[in-house]
Amino acid sequence: MEARERIGLAALGTIGLVLSIGGFVLHSPARQSAAAEAAMAGREAADPRPIAVASPAGQAPAAVPPAQPTPYAACLRKGIGVTLGKTALRVPGPPALTLVTGEKADEEINFSTKAGLEKACSQPEVTAKALVLTLEAMDKPFGAAAGWRAEFCKEGGDRAMLFLCSGEERQAGAPRSLVTVALYEPASFQGDSLFQAKAPDLDNFKAWKDRLTKAGTPPPAQPDGDYDIYPGGIWLERDAKSAAPFLVSCDVDGLPVTGQHYCVGTLGLQEGLRARLEFRTMTPEIGREAAAAAANFKALLAAWQAAASQSAPVSSQPGK
């Protein structure tokens, strides 16, 4: 249940009786066997020096060759075929990735563990209930995941690959803004079940707003870039090009916004998919941060879909 164990969520704002957002970082200790295995693999990858092996008396100790690159590097960079609802994706497998494959807690493929890599790379395609990226795992400087990340990122790549490896442009030492991405089909899987608290729901928000408007007391709103701010720390994308604007809730106490904050948002997508995005705000302009988080995620999704189209077998055409 590693994906559910690592996914973080800070306290969120509330909105009336209909929309209530609240949460805390969900962290539990990893299972000892998986943790020990990852730690051992990390030590082996991090220390390439020859290891002295005991030899018979009078003979020089034999040296074990340095650790070789993980055999999974090519598999990870090529990507894993993922079917999610009606959508086909090919997702490069960094240690940040977890594929939820069933309803039970342990039905998942965690790419930060050796067992998860073996399982993923041994099959051409995975049918998943949800896809989760815990992006902070890409920045860990130690352990097995750090070794795999170094191999995964060493050859550069397209915009999506560079974003996975480096994140947004930011000052040295500053944490990533986009922290977690969860992609799922709400019609067949309750994606919020992966988290302690639910993300804001667009239908609930509209019902709340319509009820107050009909009562003659519409909720006040003020602009923030391409978003409107509503009471309770709610940001709603304005004039969205799609029918499903980005709805975001942040742990702000009031306006104007000051300091750093943690936000969670839901974004409706084509083919019935929904994305849940968690991000930090490093500026009081939360609307700008929300727009950047959505844009970076959409770049990832477009790259995954394009890769799936390029790798799909060409169907036979009539007359050929």
Side-chain angles (χ1 to χ4, degrees):
M1 78 186 272
E2 288 87 350
R4 301 154 180 80
E5 295 166 345
R6 291 195 311 277
I7 297 171
L9 181 62
L12 307 174
T14 59
I15 184 166
L17 295 177
V18 180
L19 187 60
S20 177
I21 309 297
F24 302 92
V25 176
L26 176 58
H27 279 193
S28 300
R31 287 175 294 189
Q32 292 298 319
S33 59
E37 179 183 51
M40 179 61 71
R43 286 195 295 272
E44 292 172 354
D47 189 357
R49 294 172 298 179
I51 302 173
V53 178
S55 301
Q59 295 184 13
V64 176
Q68 298 299 314
T70 170
Y72 309 113
C75 164
L76 296 181
R77 291 188 62 83
K78 180 181 179 181
I80 307 298
V82 179
T83 299
L84 193 63
K86 299 177 182 179
T87 303
L89 307 170
R90 178 160 290 278
V91 184
L97 178 65
T98 296
L99 298 175
V100 180
T101 56
E103 302 289 342
K104 297 180 180 179
D106 60 347
E107 292 182 312
E108 65 183 24
I109 301 175
N110 186 341
F111 284 66
S112 68
T113 67
K114 183 173 180 291
L117 285 170
E118 289 179 343
K119 186 174 182 180
C121 293
S122 66
Q123 48 192 320
E125 186 166 308
V126 176
T127 299
K129 296 284 187 180
L131 178 155
V132 180
L133 283 176
T134 308
L135 291 164
E136 289 179 311
M138 297 299 293
D139 297 331
K140 290 185 177 180
F142 53 83
W148 297 332
R149 175 182 60 82
E151 294 183 29
F152 175 74
C153 296
K154 68 181 180 182
E155 297 180 12
D158 57 16
R159 175 185 173 187
M161 181 75 77
L162 293 174
F163 178 77
L164 283 174
C165 293
S166 304
E168 311 89 351
E169 292 185 7
R170 60 196 193 278
Q171 295 180 350
R176 291 177 181 243
S177 176
L178 187 57
V179 178
T180 302
V181 171
L183 182 65
Y184 58 95
E185 186 185 50
S188 59
F189 182 74
Q190 295 297 322
D192 272 341
S193 65
L194 300 172
F195 305 84
Q196 276 189 332
K198 292 183 178 180
D201 182 84
L202 183 62
D203 290 336
N204 287 349
F205 172 83
K206 288 181 176 179
W208 170 82
K209 182 180 178 182
D210 290 344
R211 186 173 67 252
L212 293 182
T213 301
K214 290 178 181 178
T217 57
Q222 70 179 60
D224 179 10
D226 293 330
Y227 287 72
D228 286 325
I229 313 173
Y230 288 87
I234 299 298
W235 271 254
L236 178 65
E237 185 181 8
R238 188 189 328 108
D239 300 328
K241 295 181 180 179
S242 67
F246 193 23
L247 179 67
V248 175
S249 177
C250 302
D251 60 343
V252 300
D253 298 324
L255 301 176
V257 177
T258 58
Q260 297 184 5
H261 301 280
Y262 199 90
C263 305
V264 58
T266 52
L267 181 64
L269 301 166
Q270 295 179 347
E271 297 184 327
L273 293 182
R274 178 177 296 173
R276 172 189 172 115
L277 310 181
E278 297 180 23
F279 63 93
R280 297 185 184 91
T281 62
M282 306 301 177
T283 169
E285 298 176 357
I286 291 180
R288 187 179 71 184
E289 295 284 340
N296 283 322
F297 164 72
K298 289 178 180 179
L300 288 174
L301 183 61
W304 297 339
Q305 290 176 315
S309 299
Q310 293 171 3
S311 62
V314 179
S315 58
S316 60
Q317 300 179 7
K320 291 187 178 182

